[in-house]
């Protein structure tokens, strides 16, 4: 087997950090060589520093690995996956990029920067062309590439096949799992027997990130499409899996069967990426599917499920928010970077 690429995880002890470790363990292209976290965790073994909360077992290869500070001089890696909070990522990620690291970030800090690629491989792989511009602008040897917000990712994969029909308007109402807020993000007293009708900054992220993702990169800037996006975001008492009700307006007025076939035919041509599911979109014809409990883990949690396609066009989309919507998305981005010769 060819030598694997050295990979580090920043914010390795948190919810998304643990998903990164799960995704990178036994990965054919990447090898976990550094786990970095806060001063509270640095110096401990990962087993002692992290409260492992996933339903998979804590991988043996990281149990005894020492956690290092979030410092470029302490991290031994070629690519780092950032699960840092946005407040920390704002200052830390540029330090790693300046030091020559490729930074695959799940944080929101740099998603909307003019020279930072915001990428979902099935949707806009050509936006990786911004990397050289970013390095020139900022005089960095490395670079930052980001993936969008978890709810945006699930929606955007389903919107990509609809561009062929002249997509012009998107309305979405989300039902988002509590894991999207992190282990301590929503108290049980707040969410049990309840729905929270507001998630701070979530609606703005969905509306703005969607336009950047669907925009045309002309070699120097991204030109936003003439599409109106409106979102309403809600937290529901579901552990994992974001469900979204989407209304899509299109110039060509396709029928539900036209849309269903477009979903079935969707082929982004990424079969050689290890984390890409067999089908990026899984279509359900049953009237009560998809459901988070039953369907979130399809494609190892990397598939986006769609169903209830009705006149309008209205449909339901579902995806695993901390896999497809977070860590898995960053790993898929890094696989695309490697395929393009940028790692």
């Amino acid at each position: 087997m060819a030598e694997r690429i050295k990979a580090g995880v920043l914010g390795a002890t948190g919810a998304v950090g643990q998903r990164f470790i799960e995704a990178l363990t036994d990965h054919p292209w990447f090898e976990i060589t550094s786990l970095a976290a806060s001063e509270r965790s640095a110096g401990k073994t990962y087993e002692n520093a992290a409260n492992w909360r996933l339903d998979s077992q804590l991988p043996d290869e990281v149990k005894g690995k020492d956690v290092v500070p979030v410092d470029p001089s302490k991290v031994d890696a070629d690519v780092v996956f950032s699960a840092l909070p946005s407040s920390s990522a704002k200052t830390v990620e540029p330090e790693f990029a300046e030091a020559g690291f490729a930074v695959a970030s799940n944080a929101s800090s740099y998603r909307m920067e003019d020279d930072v690629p915001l990428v979902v491989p099935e949707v806009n792989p050509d936006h990786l062309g911004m990397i050289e511009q970013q390095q020139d602008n900022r005089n960095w040897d490395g670079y930052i590439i980001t993936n969008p917000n978890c709810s945006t990712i699930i929606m955007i994969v389903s919107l990509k096949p609809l561009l062929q029909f002249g997509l012009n308007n998107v309305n979405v109402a989300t039902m988002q799992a509590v894991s999207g807020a992190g282990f301590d993000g929503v108290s049980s007293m707040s969410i049990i027997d309840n729905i929270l009708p507001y998630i701070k900054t979530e609606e703005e992220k969905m509306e703005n990130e969607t336009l950047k993702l669907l925009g045309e990169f002309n070699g120097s800037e991204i030109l936003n499409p003439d599409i109106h996006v409106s979102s309403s975001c809600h937290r529901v008492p579901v552990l994992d899996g974001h469900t979204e009700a989407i209304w899509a307006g299109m110039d060509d007025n396709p029928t539900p069967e036209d849309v269903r076939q477009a979903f079935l035919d969707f082929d982004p041509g990424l079969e050689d990426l290890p984390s890409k599911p067999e089908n990026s979109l899984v279509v359900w014809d049953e009237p009560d599917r998809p459901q988070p409990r039953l369907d979130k883990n399809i494609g190892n949690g990397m598939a986006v499920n769609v169903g209830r396609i009705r006149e309008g066009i209205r449909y339901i989309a579902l995806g695993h928010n901390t896999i497809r919507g977070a860590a898995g998305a960053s790993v898929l981005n890094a696989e695309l970077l490697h395929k393009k010769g940028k790692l």
Side-chain angles (χ1 to χ4, degrees):
M1 184 177 68
E3 185 174 348
R4 292 188 292 169
I5 298 165
K6 295 190 293 184
V9 180
L10 311 181
T13 57
V16 176
Q18 292 183 19
R19 286 294 187 191
F20 272 124
I21 290 170
E22 184 180 60
L24 293 168
T25 298
D26 297 324
H27 192 283
W29 294 359
F30 302 119
E31 176 187 7
I32 300 173
T33 52
S34 282
L35 300 172
S38 66
E39 293 182 1
R40 184 179 66 254
S41 299
K44 300 178 182 177
T45 63
Y46 187 79
E47 186 175 27
N48 291 327
N51 182 8
W52 188 259
R53 302 201 186 214
L54 304 185
D55 52 11
S56 59
Q57 293 295 310
L58 174 62
D60 290 337
E61 71 180 74
V62 301
K63 282 183 179 179
K65 191 177 288 294
D66 289 335
V67 178
V68 300
V70 184
D71 180 333
S73 67
K74 306 295 184 182
V75 171
D76 175 29
D78 299 309
V79 57
V80 291
F81 295 92
S82 175
L84 295 170
S86 295
S87 55
S88 302
K90 188 70 176 178
T91 55
V92 171
E93 289 179 359
E95 294 174 357
F96 277 84
E98 187 175 15
F101 293 84
V103 181
S105 176
N106 184 65
S108 63
S109 306
Y110 288 91
R111 288 175 188 160
M112 299 306 296
E113 293 284 319
D114 289 343
D115 59 357
V116 175
L118 177 67
V119 173
V120 173
E122 294 98 331
V123 176
N124 61 334
D126 59 305
H127 286 201
L128 293 180
M130 300 168 66
I131 289 174
E132 289 77 11
Q133 183 181 22
Q134 178 190 139
Q135 292 175 313
D136 290 342
N137 289 349
R138 300 172 185 258
N139 197 29
W140 288 347
D141 291 327
Y143 54 84
I144 298 172
I145 176 176
T146 63
N147 56 262
N149 172 271
C150 49
S151 50
T152 306
I153 291 175
I154 293 161
M155 179 175 73
I156 203 74
V157 175
S158 75
L159 292 181
K160 177 67 173 180
L162 304 186
L163 294 179
Q164 63 187 290
F165 302 118
L167 183 68
N168 59 47
N169 188 72
V170 179
N171 294 296
V172 57
T174 71
M175 293 150 275
Q176 297 182 216
V178 293
S179 58
F183 291 136
D184 302 317
V186 181
S187 72
S188 59
M189 289 290 286
S190 295
I191 197 63
I192 293 175
D193 191 33
N194 201 21
I195 292 174
L196 304 180
Y198 172 68
I199 306 174
K200 186 178 180 181
T201 73
E202 196 82 1
E203 291 158 356
E204 295 84 354
K205 288 175 183 175
M206 289 197 77
E207 292 167 6
N208 296 327
E209 291 172 5
T210 297
L211 294 180
K212 183 174 181 180
L213 286 157
L214 296 180
E216 177 189 353
F217 177 56
N218 66 7
S220 59
E221 62 180 340
I222 292 175
L223 306 177
N224 283 354
D226 187 15
I227 299 173
H228 177 263
V229 183
S230 179
S231 65
S232 183
C233 297
H234 321 89
R235 190 76 69 192
V236 297
V238 169
L239 184 59
D240 291 310
H242 287 357
T243 303
E244 302 176 358
I246 299 170
W247 292 257
M250 289 162 277
D251 295 334
D252 296 346
N253 295 316
T255 67
E257 182 54 37
D258 292 335
V259 170
R260 177 182 179 275
Q261 195 61 48
F263 287 153
L264 288 171
D265 292 342
F266 181 53
D267 180 8
L270 301 175
E271 287 74 16
D272 53 344
L273 301 187
S275 297
K276 194 262 183 193
E278 180 179 356
N279 295 300
S280 292
L281 286 174
V282 174
V283 179
W284 294 93
D285 293 323
E286 294 84 347
D288 62 347
R289 303 287 283 274
Q291 297 179 26
R293 186 188 298 176
L294 300 178
D295 305 320
K296 65 178 180 286
N297 288 317
I298 289 175
N300 294 319
M302 289 295 288
V304 172
N305 299 269
V306 290
R308 298 208 66 216
I309 307 164
R310 291 157 288 155
E311 294 284 351
I313 289 289
R314 301 163 288 164
Y315 64 92
I316 301 296
L318 163 74
H320 197 303
N321 52 296
T322 61
I323 300 178
R324 173 77 256 202
S330 288
V331 172
L332 193 65
N333 276 351
E335 292 170 358
L336 180 63
L337 286 168
H338 181 49
K339 177 184 176 182
K340 300 288 187 182
K342 297 182 180 297
L343 285 182

